[in-house]
Amino acid sequence: LLTDTLYSPLPPELLPPEAEKDRDARPFPRTVVAVEVQDLKNGATHYWSLEKLKQRLDQMREMYDRAGEMASGTQEEGDNVMTGNDPFYDRFHWFKLVGRAFVYLSNLLYPVPLVH
């Protein structure tokens, strides 16, 4: 379970597909069910929505069926490369969130140098 709060919002792909007006009417915090996927090769953790998990499971089943067909086929058919996307791989974001900070912008009104 992940919590969507005002100060730590979740990405839009994890939020349930509900109407925008209904989403704004619900008070914070909102709880969302998600699947934690650990990439042991790269040491990363990803979160998938339930819809994304269903899509990936379908892709995994198709990949398994194709691999079974290739193993049972002749040697010439086995030389073909499996096509399609890897359902186990999830792209990394080009950034990584390290933390959050609150900065008072009223301090910008005063002409104070950065180096004292």
Side-chain angles (χ1 to χ4, degrees), residues 53-63:
L53 175 67
K54 291 176 187 176
Q55 293 172 355
R56 293 293 176 104
L57 281 175
D58 289 338
Q59 291 176 355
M60 290 176 200
R61 288 184 184 114
E62 290 174 11
M63 185 178 189

Side-chain angles (χ1 to χ4, degrees), residues 38 57 66 84 87 93:
Q38 295 182 352
L57 281 175
R66 279 188 270 135
H93 294 289

Side-chain angles (χ1 to χ4, degrees), residues 37-46 86 88-90 92:
V37 180
Q38 295 182 352
D39 183 358
L40 299 178
K41 181 180 177 183
N42 298 316
T45 302
H46 303 283
D86 185 4
F88 300 100
Y89 179 73
D90 206 9
F92 291 102

Side-chain angles (χ1 to χ4, degrees), residues 2 10-16 32-35 47-50:
L2 297 176
L10 293 175
E13 61 265 8
L14 286 177
L15 297 176
V32 177
V33 177
V35 178
Y47 293 100
W48 290 355
S49 65
L50 293 179

Side-chain angles (χ1 to χ4, degrees), residues 61-72:
R61 288 184 184 114
E62 290 174 11
M63 185 178 189
Y64 180 78
D65 291 339
R66 279 188 270 135
E69 291 171 1
M70 286 176 53
S72 64

